[in-house]
Amino acid sequence: MALDAEHPLNSLGFAKPPAETRVVVAMSGGVDSSVVAAYLADQGYDVVGVTLQLYDHGAALAKKGACCAGIDIHDARRVAAERGFPHYVLDYENIFKDAVIDEFAESYLAGATPVPCIRCNERVKFKDLLETAKDLEADCMATGHYIQRKVGSNGSELHSAEDANRDQSYFLFSTTPEQLDYLRFPLGHLPSKDATREMAAQYGLAVADKPDSQDICFVPDGDYASVIQKLRPGAAEPGQIVHSDGRILGEHNGVIHYTIGQRRGLGIGGLSEPLYVVRLDVDKKQVVVGPKELLVTRTIPVREINWLGDAPFTSQKEWHVSVKVRSTRPPREAIIRPLSDTTAEVELLTPEEGVSPGQACVFYDSDSSRIFGGGWIWRGY
């Protein structure tokens, strides 16, 4: 939007007063989104808070560390009441189950290691909730994610957060250019989480000292296997633990209890070499183990690519970038070779261990904070 002599751009990028700029804030009930809502309300924006009920909160009501427990809805509602803006709770349980939980279960049963938080952002928060924000005639939607949106010569760009320890770019790589145009991330420039908590204290928010969410919201105790068994009864069928050289080493009580790269808890002690889970063969109900070197990967097939570069993805035979193959690892130099608009082969210049199907491969500019999107790691067959 062009600059207006009477109304220069406000802090959200609109050429009108804050009071005439409606912004929907996605409120999880945690300190981050609460600070965003309080900050924008304090700036005079027309704030509307929206909290999504994504999962049955009966069992999780009193549990801390899960982003959508019932107590979090109460906390979000209280912040809105104290700061004087409207707040709505939307029942998205069916949407969440269809778009996130079911795929999580199927992916896990297929031997992958899924990242449901990415799918939730992609299919629920930045899709259905974003459309709801537009239905509410909001000019934009703001979230408490630690990531930056910058406007470049070709439009909106996605950039890493100022605080590398809080950066959430790995979980937001599938954000489309159209969504970026509409989204705002007011916390992305902050130097640390301490700065966010200081803001919460300044605004007198009761959630200022609330612990960060740690677990997937529908797996509040971190026990993936028990959740899968509830969703898919009979999923934990026993089978064999097999060495990569063909030797049968023992029995397991379900492939869903294992992940690629796992070393502890295999139940096959007494061997001279440390063994790791190198492959999960769901069809044969086999957990395949082997030496650490079998975990090393140089070439990664990637699909469902969301490309955020300025030029079309297939306009070059190679893209020299850095990539993350797990959220907890730093970006490593790589070469992306496009196979189509949405598929590619990624070559890691330094091989990585434990690259797992179901994880994301996120593309970073090696020379700046910009994110070029990413895709999903799969087996390549």
Side-chain angles (χ1 to χ4, degrees), residues 288-323:
V288 183
V289 299
K292 194 172 186 178
E293 55 263 27
L294 292 182
L295 287 171
V296 174
T297 303
R298 181 180 289 276
T299 303
I300 307 172
V302 179
R303 62 184 175 184
E304 291 183 64
I305 288 171
N306 177 55
W307 178 247
L308 295 175
D310 295 330
F313 185 51
T314 54
S315 64
Q316 293 185 196
K317 290 184 177 180
E318 293 184 350
W319 295 93
H320 291 253
V321 297
S322 295
V323 303

Side-chain angles (χ1 to χ4, degrees), residues 266-341:
L266 300 181
I268 49 171
L271 298 168
S272 59
E273 60 174 346
L275 295 177
Y276 301 78
V277 176
V278 298
R279 194 170 74 255
L280 298 172
D281 192 325
V282 177
D283 294 333
K284 294 181 180 178
K285 300 185 179 67
Q286 289 183 340
V287 174
V288 183
V289 299
K292 194 172 186 178
E293 55 263 27
L294 292 182
L295 287 171
V296 174
T297 303
R298 181 180 289 276
T299 303
I300 307 172
V302 179
R303 62 184 175 184
E304 291 183 64
I305 288 171
N306 177 55
W307 178 247
L308 295 175
D310 295 330
F313 185 51
T314 54
S315 64
Q316 293 185 196
K317 290 184 177 180
E318 293 184 350
W319 295 93
H320 291 253
V321 297
S322 295
V323 303
K324 265 191 185 187
V325 294
R326 282 189 186 270
S327 62
T328 54
R329 296 184 184 177
R332 303 286 175 82
E333 287 190 50
I335 299 171
I336 306 172
R337 297 186 176 91
L339 302 174
S340 72
D341 288 337

Side-chain angles (χ1 to χ4, degrees), residues 131 153 172 372:
E131 289 304 316
S153 56
L172 298 168
F372 289 135

Side-chain angles (χ1 to χ4, degrees), residues 75-89:
D75 286 343
R77 184 181 287 125
R78 182 168 57 171
V79 168
E82 290 174 351
R83 305 304 299 186
F85 58 83
H87 174 260
Y88 302 97
V89 178

Side-chain angles (χ1 to χ4, degrees), residues 142-164:
T143 79
H145 289 106
Y146 286 87
I147 196 163
Q148 297 188 78
R149 168 192 177 273
K150 298 182 179 181
V151 180
S153 56
N154 291 287
S156 301
E157 300 175 354
L158 199 63
H159 287 255
S160 300
E162 186 68 28
D163 179 7

Side-chain angles (χ1 to χ4, degrees), residues 212-223:
D212 291 342
S213 59
Q214 300 293 336
D215 297 313
I216 296 169
C217 62
F218 58 92
V219 193
D221 56 1
D223 186 357

